Amino acid sequence: MILNNRIAIVTGAGSGIGRAGAAIMAREGAHVVVVDRSVEAAGDTVAAIAAGGGSAEALAVDVTDDDALADGIADILYRHGRIDILHNHAGAQVAGDLEEVEVAGFDRSWNLNVRAHFMAARLVMPSMKKAGRGVIVNTSSSSGVLYDREMIAYTTTKHAVIAMTRQMAGDYAKYGVRVNALCPGWVDTPFNEPFIDQMGGREAIEAYIRERVPLGRWASVDEIAESILFLVSDRSSYMTGQILVVDGGETVV
């Protein structure tokens, strides 16, 4: 198993891509701390991992709460002694163009999609520096490299994640810490509900994807999980500061 005995934190792991990423890390031998603001969702992910023979624990915390996040990470370090992997995945879509988006929604998007990634990375970095190794993956989006219609809050934050990732990678490579960004395209999860509503329903989004994505379909969460495994494992050991776009070819059109 390529992640044997590693300690991994995955935020937003209560559902969707986060859950699939946590599951594949556990199958490859990592002990996974499943972070989600929902106690029930985090527990469901842990139970699913345990049912498959993996090792995991739940941490129910709102990652935008600095004190709660700091306490949670400090407890993980106290009990496990190290953190080898951090996957910052928690995020949200907030729809609307410049004039329509709620200012509070823009702020909420920034706090969750960017600032929480920054804080979690800041909190784990001292232990990674001390160990002389570590991996951080920040989830951005294909919207971090593309125009995304009437989604100014979302695209702004996802572009920012890419810039932040590159900055972290450049600053901390000398300590043996690798930092990369994952940019998923269209993945069939409830996360897309705001954009589906904006597009006019499921039939409209299906037609949109068939037209815009060369592979002509959604990705499954398991397909994205394979890319996560690559980024957090030694299979990408000479890779840092990079942006892995997994989008069915949408960005080449």
Side-chain angles (χ1 to χ4, degrees), residues 17-238:
I17 294 172
R19 176 175 288 184
I24 201 169
M25 290 186 213
R27 287 199 299 271
E28 289 296 334
H31 174 77
V32 183
V33 180
V34 175
V35 180
D36 200 276
R37 67 179 179 178
S38 166
V39 175
E40 182 178 359
D44 287 347
T45 298
V46 169
I49 288 173
S55 177
E57 64 184 86
L59 175 59
V61 67
D62 180 346
V63 293
T64 65
D65 182 334
D66 292 350
D67 291 339
L69 182 62
D71 288 346
I73 289 176
D75 182 61
I76 294 163
L77 286 168
Y78 176 76
R79 290 184 295 106
H80 297 288
R82 69 187 194 282
I83 295 167
D84 303 300
I85 296 164
L86 168 65
H87 180 196
N88 280 313
H89 180 69
Q93 282 190 3
V94 176
D97 63 20
L98 175 64
E99 297 171 287
E100 293 174 347
V101 68
E102 294 183 0
V103 174
F106 187 96
D107 291 342
R108 184 172 67 253
S109 182
W110 181 267
N111 288 336
L112 181 56
N113 294 354
V114 184
R115 192 178 184 280
H117 290 16
F118 164 82
M119 286 303 302
R122 180 184 178 96
L123 291 165
V124 305
M125 189 59 75
S127 67
M128 289 185 174
K129 285 172 63 179
K130 183 177 179 180
R133 61 171 293 149
V135 180
I136 298 173
V137 174
N138 297 318
T139 295
S140 176
S141 168
S142 59
S143 299
V145 295
L146 289 172
Y147 159 75
D148 199 347
R149 191 182 77 176
E150 297 174 359
M151 297 287 284
I152 191 169
Y154 188 66
T155 56
T156 297
T157 60
K158 292 304 184 178
H159 277 73
V161 168
I162 289 174
M164 184 171 65
T165 295
R166 288 174 168 154
Q167 187 69 35
M168 288 181 188
D171 288 342
Y172 289 94
K174 62 187 175 184
Y175 299 107
V177 179
R178 300 189 298 108
V179 189
N180 292 294
L182 175 71
C183 291
W186 292 101
V187 186
D188 196 4
T189 74
F191 182 81
N192 293 296
E193 290 302 327
F195 194 75
I196 292 173
D197 290 343
Q198 182 176 297
M199 290 291 294
R202 183 78 184 191
E203 186 174 333
I205 197 68
E206 295 282 3
Y208 180 84
I209 290 170
R210 285 194 299 271
E211 178 184 351
R212 291 287 299 272
V213 178
L215 285 182
R217 62 174 179 83
W218 302 87
S220 71
V221 292
D222 291 333
E223 287 176 304
I224 305 302
E226 292 290 344
S227 298
I228 294 168
L229 179 62
F230 170 71
L231 290 175
V232 302
S233 74
D234 290 341
R235 291 175 178 174
S236 58
S237 59
Y238 198 58

